[in-house]
């Protein structure tokens, strides 16, 4: 899938849409989900234009990949969920029910997140 420069996270990265930033570094931004599914719900995104995990794994630099991985743990520490536990989810493509076509990890916690994965 080609990257869509008008997706909402690209617009957040350009500063066209506000966000509640939790943490940021050279390669990565973490911000609160606008519609939180749990008490803590933070999205971690690379600043580079990657559609999903497959694109990121193939095309991001090692430095970007390390920064992204570390940011997930940093978010858990900042939000206080590292000790109590949390879930990291990345929805990919149609079957994965990905709505925004810019790679993001959902970091969810602050309360029990439930079992994996109930059928609708
Ligand atoms: P996904 O279904 O994995 O693509 O998830 C997209 C997520 O982006 C959803 O949890 C939305 O609530 C969230 N979202 C959409 N627009 C915004 C926004 N402007 N700021 C923060 N989160 C957003």
């Amino acid at each position: 899938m080609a990257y869509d420069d008008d997706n909402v996270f690209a617009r957040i990265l350009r500063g066209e849409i506000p966000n509640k930033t939790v943490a940021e570094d050279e390669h990565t931004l973490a911000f609160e989900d606008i519609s939180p599914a749990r008490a803590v719900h933070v999205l971690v995104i690379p600043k580079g234009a990657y559609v999903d995990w497959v694109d990121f794994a193939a095309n991001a630099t090692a430095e970007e990949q390390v920064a992204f991985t570390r940011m997930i743990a940093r978010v858990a520490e900042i939000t206080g969920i590292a000790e109590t536990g949390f879930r990291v989810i990345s929805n990919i493509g149609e079957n994965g029910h990905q709505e925004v076509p810019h790679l993001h990890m959902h970091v969810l916690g602050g309360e029990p997140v439930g079992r994996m994965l109930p059928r609708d």
Side-chain angles (χ1 to χ4, degrees):
M1 187 198 294
Y3 185 81
D4 171 11
D5 278 323
D6 283 332
N7 79 75
V8 66
F9 296 166
R11 298 187 65 203
I12 284 174
L13 286 167
R14 290 198 295 270
E16 297 168 5
I17 297 175
N19 75 92
K20 292 186 178 172
T21 299
V22 173
E24 183 172 9
D25 67 17
E26 183 186 353
H27 298 296
T28 317
L29 177 67
F31 56 98
E32 293 181 11
D33 195 293
I34 202 167
S35 181
R38 290 295 184 274
V40 173
H41 188 170
V42 177
L43 300 172
V44 179
I45 67 173
K47 291 184 176 178
Y50 303 103
V51 174
D52 59 21
W53 187 256
V54 177
D55 185 15
F56 188 68
N59 299 311
T61 65
E63 196 178 335
E64 288 175 302
Q65 294 181 8
V66 167
F68 190 68
T69 303
R70 289 186 173 155
M71 183 61 79
I72 293 166
R74 190 172 153 203
V75 164
E77 294 289 348
I78 290 170
T79 57
I81 63 174
E83 285 196 4
T84 48
F86 58 99
R87 183 169 294 159
V88 179
I89 298 172
S90 191
N91 298 320
I92 299 167
E94 188 178 349
N95 279 359
H97 209 284
Q98 180 178 4
E99 291 178 354
V100 179
H102 180 115
L103 172 63
H104 50 285
M105 292 297 200
H106 298 256
V107 180
L108 298 145
E111 60 183 312
V113 297
R115 291 169 61 89
M116 292 281 284
L117 283 169
R119 289 214 174 254
D120 294 329

